[in-house]
Amino acid sequence: MIVKRVFSKKILWTLGILFAVFIGLQFFANPVSNPEVNTETVIKAPDDVVAIFKKACYDCHSNETNLGIESKIAPFSWFVNKDITTARSRFNFSTFDTLSSVAKQGLVWEMVNMVLNNKMPLASYSAIHPKAKLTTNDVNRLIEYAESLSPPVYHDTTAIRLAMEQYDAVVASGKPLEEKLPVAATGIAYIKDFRNWQVISTTNRFDNNKSIRVVYANDIAAKAVKENQINPWPEGSIIVKAVWDIVEEKNGDILPGQFNNVQIMEKDSKQFSDSEGWGFAKFVGLERVPFGQTASYNATCFNCHKAAKENGYVFNIPLPNGELLPITDIE
Amino acid sequence: MKRLSNLLMFLVVLTGCKHIEDINEKREVFDAKGKQVYTVFANRMDKTMSVVYGNHTAVLAAASGLTGLNKGEQLTIVTYQEEIDPFWYGSNINGRIKSIEQLTLKRPEDGVKGWVYELVEGRRPKSKNGNLTTNFDRIQEILEKRPVVFP
């Protein structure tokens, strides 16, 4: 009987201390705050599209966060605050209209792909907020909206002229580029002889980034592709993507326009430990000007590449044989 | 004896399944055998994507803007079926190879003069009006494509 009373006393004391700590924590709860919303800068999109964003994204990606009381209680509030701060730094619907048209298009396509790849809304969030789950109609409407922002331009005479001028200039100059290779802010140098590497795929994009591409792999990466040893990719893998603008015709033809850029991904887990070992670089134009002023460019690239996590964070590799569609002839 | 034959049968089936699984997991890439990319194009209505490779002579000729003058220029046209990239809606990626064609520039001493067409694999792509093309039409179609510019 005495033992039981001492035990109960101990439990009460422990509970009391825990409660006191819990109350104390609330002074440091730091719940997320909502900065004032300026109607001038909020996203301008059709009402039904905004409604989709509001139900699935606004709690984290806007200054109109409206979560339950639990989000204001420490220690949960700390995690919520961290997630929302990160989400708002990626993009914020309350300040969306301050972005350039190009940036807005890019983000909308990224949203579509995050949704299609089940990366967003976060599973942990939709489990607690089932109303945030998107229906098939919602997803189709988002796709339709993204496509409406980036319509095709047929027989673009400017693109045709630029491509011809660039080709003529290269043929006329006939001189090789300087041997000194440019280096990107991420520390990755331009690779001169990638044209001799294995081509692993060709892609063309109809999103905000209309272009046609050829993707190359060095010996290590090419072997990894063929043997499907890409999760993770072996150290030393290098993938190079050559990108050209496109000339699009109404008959469906997609022809290469002027050369646009070369993009490089290098697997070096020591140097790029924050991005699953991948380092990124982009060299623009025939002058091969490094894109991105600081090494933080690596994080920007990696954020998008997270969509291809199942492919070891690489987008443009051929599908495994078992997933290829059978050959069809369009009549 | 019956048990043994059943066991053998089971092992054969198992090995066969594993073999199919291995093939399904492999990813195919075209071996251009030292040729370099000469140009690339696609057609979204036909759902095709093509990479044209050139041998050293053809690539040099393209760089000097003088395609079609040097004996031995050779172009290999690999045409794939287009697929939607499963990881990025907004991008198409090549699927299975539909055809491989080759153009070789010959001279009178070879017994022929001009570009010679050869269908190496698959079916020859249709022309834009949906008809089957002649060798001559197809050669013209390919040579009309401007070589891509590299840095």
Side-chain angles (χ1 to χ4, degrees), chain B residues 66-94:
Chain B
L66 300 169
T67 296
L69 293 181
N70 303 293
K71 179 188 168 183
E73 283 179 44
Q74 193 171 68
L75 301 175
T76 303
I77 306 100
V78 183
T79 300
Y80 299 90
Q81 178 155 284
E82 169 196 284
E83 295 205 19
I84 291 276
D85 188 329
F87 291 104
W88 192 263
Y89 182 78
S91 178
N92 295 314
I93 188 164
N94 59 285

Side-chain angles (χ1 to χ4, degrees), chain A residues 264-282:
Chain A
I264 301 176
M265 283 180 80
E266 276 188 25
K267 184 74 186 285
D268 182 339
S269 296
K270 279 187 188 157
Q271 197 180 343
F272 303 109
S273 55
D274 292 341
S275 47
E276 298 289 338
W278 284 111
F280 298 84
K282 181 172 166 180

Side-chain angles (χ1 to χ4, degrees), chain A residues 100-276:
Chain A
S100 69
S101 164
V102 172
K104 283 189 280 194
Q105 280 187 51
L107 284 169
V108 170
W109 279 96
E110 195 179 325
M111 289 172 210
V112 164
N113 278 286
M114 286 293 166
V115 167
L116 288 172
N117 287 302
N118 295 319
K119 301 279 190 293
M120 286 286 161
L122 288 176
S124 54
Y125 171 75
S126 15
I128 306 169
H129 303 90
K131 281 185 185 168
K133 284 182 186 161
L134 295 174
T135 64
T136 308
N137 282 345
D138 292 335
V139 177
N140 288 340
R141 180 67 184 108
L142 287 182
I143 290 172
E144 192 181 61
Y145 174 60
E147 288 177 343
S148 74
L149 296 179
S150 316
V153 180
Y154 296 116
H155 199 72
D156 184 341
T157 50
T158 307
I160 295 169
R161 179 177 56 77
L162 288 173
M164 283 173 66
E165 284 176 2
Q166 189 185 53
Y167 179 70
D168 291 346
V170 168
V171 166
S173 77
K175 58 179 180 187
L177 285 166
E178 291 169 35
E179 285 302 302
K180 197 179 168 200
L181 301 176
V183 179
T186 50
I188 294 174
Y190 183 82
I191 295 164
K192 205 172 71 170
D193 67 345
F194 71 85
R195 286 189 72 186
N196 297 320
W197 292 5
Q198 172 72 54
V199 170
I200 55 169
S201 68
T202 176
T203 68
N204 62 69
R205 286 175 62 167
F206 55 90
D207 57 3
N208 58 309
N209 203 345
K210 297 189 191 314
S211 50
I212 192 161
R213 294 120 182 271
V214 174
V215 185
Y216 296 81
N218 69 349
D219 287 344
I220 299 171
K223 185 168 181 279
V225 169
K226 288 181 213 168
E227 294 174 359
N228 202 21
Q229 301 297 322
I230 56 162
N231 237 329
W233 287 74
E235 289 296 305
S237 293
I238 306 178
I239 294 162
V240 175
K241 184 159 43 182
V243 182
W244 296 269
D245 295 343
I246 56 169
V247 175
E248 191 167 359
E249 301 292 351
K250 273 190 175 165
N251 67 3
D253 274 343
I254 305 294
L255 305 169
Q258 68 171 342
F259 170 78
N260 191 312
N261 68 73
V262 161
Q263 297 167 27
I264 301 176
M265 283 180 80
E266 276 188 25
K267 184 74 186 285
D268 182 339
S269 296
K270 279 187 188 157
Q271 197 180 343
F272 303 109
S273 55
D274 292 341
S275 47
E276 298 289 338

